[in-house]
Amino acid sequence: MFLINCPYCGERDQSEFSAGGEAHIVRPKQPTELSDDQWAEFLFMRKNIKGVQLERWNHSHGCRKWFNMVRDTSNDKIHAVYKMGEKPPIK
Amino acid sequence: MTKNLRIAKSKFIDQTSRISFKFDGKTLYGLKGDTLASALLANNIHLVGRSFKYHRPRGIMTCGSEEPNAIVQIGNDPSITEPNTRATEIELYEGLEASSQNCWPSVNFDIGAINNFFSPLIPAAFYYKTFMWPARFWKIYEYFIRQSAGLGKSPTKPDKDIYDHRYLHCDVLVVGGGISGIIAAKTSAKNNLNTVLIDDKNNLGGTTLFQHNECFKINNSYSNEWLKKEIETLNSVENLTIKTRTTLAAYHSYNYLLAKENLTDHLDLNEKKGKIRQRLWKIRAKKVVIATGSMERPLIFNNNDRPGIILSSSIKKYIDYYGVKCGEKVSLFTNNDTVYETAISLTNSGVSVNSIIDIRDKTNSLIVKQAEKLGIKIHWKSTVVNTKGYKRINSIEIMKLSDDGTSVIEKKIKEECDCLGISGGWTPRVHLFTQSGGKLKFRDEDNVFLPDKTELDQISIGSCNGDFELYDVIKNSSKLVNKFLNINNNDYEKLEIISSKEMDKKNIWLLPSDKSLGRTKPFLDFQNDSTAKDVKLALREGFKSIEHVKRYTTTGMGTDQGKLSNMHALGIIAETAGVKMGELGTTTFRPPYTPLTFGAIVGRNVGEFFDITRKTPIHDWHVKNKAEFENVGQWKRAWYYPKNNETMYDSVQRESKAARNSAGILDASTLGKIDIQGTDASEFLNRVYTNAWSKLEIGKCRYGLMLNEDGMVYDDGVTTRLSENHYIMTTTTGGAANVLSKLEDYLQTEWPELDVYLTSVTDQYATVSICGPNSKKILSKLIPDLNLSDKEFPHMSFKNASINNIKCKVMRISFTGEHSYEINVQSSYGKSVWEKCFEAGKEFKITPYGTETMHLLRAEKGFIIAGQDTDGTMTPVDLQMDWIISKKKYDFIGKRSLYRSDTIREDRKQLVGLLTDDPNEILEEGAQIVAETSKKPIEMLGHVTSSYFSPNLNKSIALAVIKNGKNLKGQKMYVPMKNKTINVTITDTVFLDKENKRLNA
């Protein structure tokens, strides 16, 4: 079970958080302009790699804020957390 | 049988306190400090169980958690008994009752033992291979196989004991209270680190605690005497918490660990009462020191499983710690120096040692010389080729090993004995290290897997790190701990240590016999009865992966998880397959290290504390009025109110009629309520609902449908505009929390530019819903100054009002199709306002109705329930609710998905009404719908989602989803049931009052 450093609250137990999948998938501003394939790309396609991955997390039993995380899925090491809207820190 | 094998020299056993206990119904006596195993051995009882497959007699083999054989059932009441407990770990208490498992009628005479004679016919995977065909016979086979499967008996009644969970945070956690753990804990605590030391035994010290031998000395004292003083000093060390009887069960990432503390298992029956039995500690440690020691390995030779065959270090513990002789004529069999220490202990305690059989050519370490000095006979370069004695070993056969160790030579020597101590070397307990994600390396010299790489802040020290000799344990542990904690403590560097050093090593995984392998029984996994032959068979049949061999032969799959057997299984596989052990790897070590009770896992979360229960402010009234309740999410909702022994069906029929004919009252407090404020609130609603919100007037309400981004209906509810920038949204009862989370997600991540604030106010409001043709009259009695005319207060609008000075928000909205009002008040006034409404409605025979009637009434009107008539695969178009999708809005959540190639298919399942040809026939919810019955198999076109008998229409009605249902109105369909087929006709979804006249009645 991870210890997660919420950018708003500090270090907390993983049980206070929920995972929200791959980060930096932006909802298209003009969905109606998109083909079925382009829309499907946004809607369904998610990476699930072994290694360093950018993820969304929510401090659901705390401040309820969403934030991003750089996590290595092969060893669960969390390299960084950063706020929504911020650029991922360079690996 | 009644021989007393106790010697009165142990300092760890209270010789004066006799304890009575029962084993297999017989009353026996032990001493305080005994385990069940040591007490049984003191009573000369070795035979304690039968093996799983062949029902061979089995005895106590170890003195710890790795015990494969001596697993017993505890307790005399079959309804609360505990199976599969290890006799070697049960501390004896007054009144303990234990019995053998896996035997019938008794451990001494077991019918199942016939399997042993058929054992050549029951190789690995016998059951998989034999009961494959004919397939239809499986039903018969299964009955018999189930009868013989399983270990022990499960209790049938709820556990009466109390269990507990607690959190613990520390700088350093030291797992294992042997000599290296003590060194680590003391070093750490003295350096002002908040330190916790845990050990699964009832006292600290490990095996050094009873190591009283000339060959092991520290600063001129015997090692046990030095350690005893060291333990005494721990009492005065600050920052140190010691927890004994505490087993580390699991080691997860980020140094999160679970440990089970036994609090009352060792107490007398009458002392246990009312106390917490076990506590699960959830530990978060900054640093972890693993000092879990090592386990002695058995040797794999023909008939190595008889009662009386015991690990040599266990024999030593029984004599030196418990003062119990495992036998009176003991033979010892080894490939390393360990047994020599046992031989010396036994000789010093007056037990005669027949001989030591050592597979090595000759060795001259300090301890071996000492044994020779005592006159103990040693058979060098020899092996045991067979053992005899059915329920207890009575003799062994010894032969010389050939030079290459693959065969036996010369004459067979027979030696009588009543106990055989065996030692195949040592296996570091790396279980916790690997559980935590650590990678192992293999040391060829003594065939051990050792901790190698880890991502966590942890170290392994002592024999779990491959240091098996006293000198190395002390010096290396101290060095490693200093480095790990970045400190400099040389207390242990200065110690003068004498310790015998093992000089020669030799290992043979499967020892040869004078018989061919096929005619021998060299057991690997004692609990699951798998032999070296089975493993070899698996390899011949093509299994290569160690994980596959394990599952095929069940080696290492017992309650002991192969603690004793795994290394030999790996060794034999590597040897047979011709690969290196280091390359073969190990099977996965999974938590828990030893079995946990379910009680410890669930802690206090049992019975009514299993989950959170939410109750409305009006709950007590429902209870007083004999409501039956149903669980909706975590809520308890009034389901129906039976009168005079009514059935649920009768209650619902009565309640439904009353609501349509006069007035009904419903507690709607559980509906989710979200307060939405901000200058962009209208824009926000436009984006989350399918319909348009900008033009909703202040004081008006609107129904909205919320989709997922994939276009599927997610939730629905009515939202009211309270002022320019202030709305209150209602959601379904079960969906409230998820809807709020989803909306927050969009606000924070996709639309941070919107000025909108969301607050859950579900618990802040109580909601009383009054419906029916008399609802207007009732409300006018309650709020006389409110103009209730359709012009002033039309359907889908809202007014602020007050009932006896209690402020309330009244919405004229309807989920039943009747003229109806929802009164929202601060939740603390909920019950009083409900009672006022009830009082005011008495003259109209106002009838409280529950969720079931609510469901029936809305079904008559064809209103959907999100989650009942939808299941995450229904779009608004599928629900025939095209009217709610705004054509003008550029975008909303899920809009683009509504014209994906899949969602515009005509033949999707669509919501329709169903009427049964026989109006009295009520369909079952979930029943399948087909177009014809003559052909089989036939495509299932859909299923019934809601079904009721409508008392107001006097016929059965149902909602269903059917492929292409939209275009099938009027078509006949069939609902095949178990013993009949019901004829139905597809209809419109609205059954009652299609013109909505009743809303304004």
Side-chain angles (χ1 to χ4, degrees), chain B residues 447-722:
Chain B
N447 296 298
V448 290
F449 282 101
L450 296 175
D452 188 16
K453 292 195 184 79
T454 173
E455 302 279 345
L456 304 182
D457 209 352
Q458 62 164 330
I459 47 162
S460 296
I461 58 167
S463 64
C464 73
N465 194 37
D467 286 331
F468 295 116
E469 278 148 19
L470 189 65
Y471 182 91
D472 297 339
V473 168
I474 295 174
K475 298 284 175 172
N476 291 347
S477 296
S478 171
K479 215 179 292 168
L480 285 167
V481 169
N482 270 317
K483 196 176 157 209
F484 180 57
L485 301 178
N486 198 18
I487 53 178
N488 196 6
N489 173 329
N490 57 5
D491 289 357
Y492 302 99
E493 305 286 318
K494 295 178 296 192
L495 295 177
E496 258 181 54
I497 300 163
I498 298 171
S499 129
S500 171
K501 188 163 176 53
E502 191 167 83
M503 296 166 80
D504 297 284
K505 295 182 197 304
K506 182 171 178 183
N507 186 53
I508 300 172
W509 291 116
L510 173 58
L511 290 152
S513 167
D514 54 329
K515 289 184 195 153
S516 69
L517 180 64
R519 298 184 58 211
T520 61
K521 281 210 175 63
F523 284 93
L524 269 179
D525 185 323
F526 296 88
Q527 193 175 101
N528 274 355
D529 265 355
S530 72
T531 65
K533 284 189 290 185
D534 295 323
V535 169
K536 291 201 170 210
L537 176 71
L539 290 167
R540 278 205 305 281
E541 292 186 356
F543 291 92
K544 287 200 179 74
S545 153
I546 167 73
E547 297 283 4
H548 290 157
V549 174
K550 167 180 164 174
R551 281 155 185 80
Y552 193 60
T553 61
T554 73
T555 303
M557 289 176 71
T559 61
D560 58 339
Q561 287 287 287
K563 288 189 180 74
L564 286 188
S565 59
N566 280 349
M567 281 309 293
H568 290 91
L570 291 172
I572 291 168
I573 292 167
E575 213 165 66
T576 312
V579 292
K580 283 191 169 163
M581 276 186 82
E583 287 160 17
L584 191 65
T586 65
T587 54
T588 313
F589 297 88
R590 290 193 180 83
Y593 175 66
T594 51
L596 284 176
T597 56
F598 283 112
I601 294 168
V602 297
R604 303 270 173 154
N605 302 325
V606 289
E608 60 174 316
F609 302 114
F610 182 70
D611 196 10
I612 293 162
T613 303
R614 298 173 80 182
K615 292 172 184 166
T616 77
I618 309 162
H619 186 83
D620 290 347
W621 191 94
H622 305 317
V623 174
K624 215 172 117 194
N625 286 273
K626 311 237 160 34
E628 292 290 331
F629 290 89
E630 84 169 319
N631 297 327
V632 183
Q634 291 166 328
W635 287 101
K636 292 273 170 209
R637 291 200 74 175
W639 195 10
Y640 58 98
Y641 300 81
K643 262 189 184 169
N644 316 319
N645 301 325
E646 269 176 338
T647 61
M648 173 164 144
Y649 177 84
D650 291 337
S651 303
V652 171
Q653 296 289 306
R654 172 180 54 75
E655 290 169 15
S656 303
K657 258 195 267 186
R660 293 248 185 258
N661 294 339
S662 179
I665 183 167
L666 170 85
D667 179 0
S669 307
T670 63
L671 280 186
K673 295 173 276 286
I674 300 171
D675 187 272
I676 302 173
Q677 300 192 40
T679 50
D680 293 317
S682 303
E683 172 59 18
F684 179 67
L685 290 173
N686 270 333
R687 295 186 190 184
V688 299
Y689 278 131
T690 61
N691 46 352
W693 290 79
S694 310
K695 286 185 185 146
L696 183 69
E697 289 169 41
I698 293 166
K700 287 282 169 14
C701 318
R702 184 165 287 171
Y703 174 77
L705 208 53
M706 199 182 287
L707 310 185
N708 262 330
E709 206 68 271
D710 62 6
M712 303 304 158
V713 172
Y714 182 67
D715 203 82
D716 67 343
V718 170
T719 297
T720 305
R721 190 167 198 173
L722 301 176

Side-chain angles (χ1 to χ4, degrees), chain B residues 45-66:
Chain B
I45 295 174
H46 278 254
L47 172 59
V48 288
R50 292 274 176 162
S51 70
F52 183 55
K53 195 163 150 190
Y54 305 130
H55 293 254
R56 282 168 71 99
R58 290 281 164 80
I60 296 157
M61 230 190 132
T62 72
C63 58
S65 60
E66 62 270 36

Side-chain angles (χ1 to χ4, degrees), chain A residues 8-65:
Chain A
Y8 302 92
C9 308
E11 213 164 59
R12 295 286 193 281
D13 203 283
Q14 187 189 345
S15 57
E16 292 184 14
F17 296 83
S18 40
E22 192 184 345
H24 300 290
I25 293 182
V26 182
R27 188 176 187 273
K29 288 273 178 267
Q30 297 170 315
T32 39
E33 317 285 309
L34 302 181
S35 68
D36 266 14
D37 285 350
Q38 287 169 318
W39 180 245
E41 183 66 31
F42 157 72
L43 196 55
F44 301 121
M45 305 316 272
R46 296 291 183 273
K47 280 191 219 105
N48 184 17
I49 52 169
K50 183 179 179 181
V52 176
Q53 182 164 288
L54 306 180
E55 299 175 334
R56 279 154 38 91
W57 282 76
N58 183 225
H59 195 184
S60 44
H61 296 284
C63 64
R64 298 186 65 89
K65 283 283 194 187

